[in-house]
């Protein structure tokens, strides 16, 4: 049996990783519960363990399934859910997402500002240079 300290620490660390990637606290709790459970679980079992309503469990499971982190399957008349360890795959998506959603839009805004705010031109150029370096690194990772 796993000592409860080790289990709690493991769940906390899973939460830190997923929180950084934008998952909700309910998603994190449900995913960690499934990930660290020895067998697939029903929605009712998940609800009982987490104290979340069936509706909340259903919403989180839909999100986790959409992100390929949980696999649903039919067992007779009941659906059960199993966590899929997806840390590596989620990590690989982060550079492309950061580039598309943050770095490129920020560069575009700064290019617009550079011409409208000549008093900040040097600072903006320094930031643009730094962002260009970041863009190169992210593209190499991708």
């Amino acid at each position: 049996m796993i000592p409860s300290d080790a289990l709690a620490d493991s769940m906390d660390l899973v939460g830190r990783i997923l929180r950084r990637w934008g998952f909700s606290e309910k998603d994190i709790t449900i995913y960690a519960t499934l990930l660290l459970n020895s067998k697939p679980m029903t929605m009712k079992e998940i609800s009982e363990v987490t104290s979340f309503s069936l509706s909340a469990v259903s919403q989180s499971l839909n999100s986790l399934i959409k992100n390929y982190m949980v696999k649903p399957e039919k067992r007779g008349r009941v659906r059960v859910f199993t966590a899929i360890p997806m840390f590596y795959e989620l990590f690989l998506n982060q550079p492309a997402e950061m580039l598309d959603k943050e770095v490129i839009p920020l560069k575009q805004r700064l290019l617009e500002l550079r011409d409208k705010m000549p008093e900040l031109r040097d600072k903006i150029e320094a930031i643009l240079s730094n962002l260009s370096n970041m863009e190169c690194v992210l593209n190499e990772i991708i």
Side-chain angles (χ1 to χ4, degrees):
M1 175 149 186
I2 300 172
S4 61
D5 293 6
L7 190 58
D9 287 347
S10 297
M11 289 181 83
D12 182 54
L13 292 168
V14 166
R16 283 188 203 177
I17 293 169
L18 297 180
R19 203 171 291 112
R20 181 173 291 135
W21 293 337
F23 286 91
S24 74
E25 291 302 316
K26 285 181 183 164
D27 293 345
I28 291 165
T29 301
I30 290 169
Y31 182 71
T33 299
L34 288 170
L35 187 66
L36 299 173
N37 201 301
S38 60
K39 63 178 184 60
M41 298 176 72
T42 66
M43 278 184 30
K44 184 178 179 191
E45 291 170 332
I46 296 166
S47 175
E48 289 169 356
V49 169
T50 62
S51 299
F52 297 145
S53 69
L54 285 173
S55 170
V57 170
S58 177
Q59 285 179 334
S60 283
L61 285 172
N62 285 335
S63 172
L64 293 166
I65 290 166
K66 186 179 89 179
N67 284 289
Y68 305 103
M69 296 175 66
V70 168
K71 181 177 87 172
E73 35 180 329
K74 276 285 225 187
R75 294 243 173 110
R77 295 170 52 202
V78 178
R79 277 179 79 188
V80 294
F81 302 88
T82 306
I84 302 167
M86 294 292 291
F87 300 104
Y88 178 69
E89 291 81 355
L90 288 169
F91 171 75
L92 290 179
N93 289 335
Q94 297 304 304
E97 194 170 305
M98 179 182 232
L99 187 62
D100 292 341
K101 291 184 178 178
E102 296 158 4
V103 174
I104 291 173
L106 179 56
K107 279 182 70 175
Q108 291 169 344
R109 299 297 178 273
L110 289 171
L111 287 169
E112 293 168 12
L113 282 175
R114 181 181 59 187
D115 297 329
K116 294 178 183 173
M117 302 182 77
E119 69 278 9
L120 292 177
R121 188 176 188 84
D122 290 342
K123 282 194 174 223
I124 291 172
E125 287 294 337
I127 297 167
L128 286 168
S129 174
N130 190 274
L131 287 172
S132 290
N133 291 338
M134 189 174 179
E135 185 176 9
C136 288
V137 170
L138 289 170
N139 278 318
E140 283 295 317
I141 292 169
I142 296 168

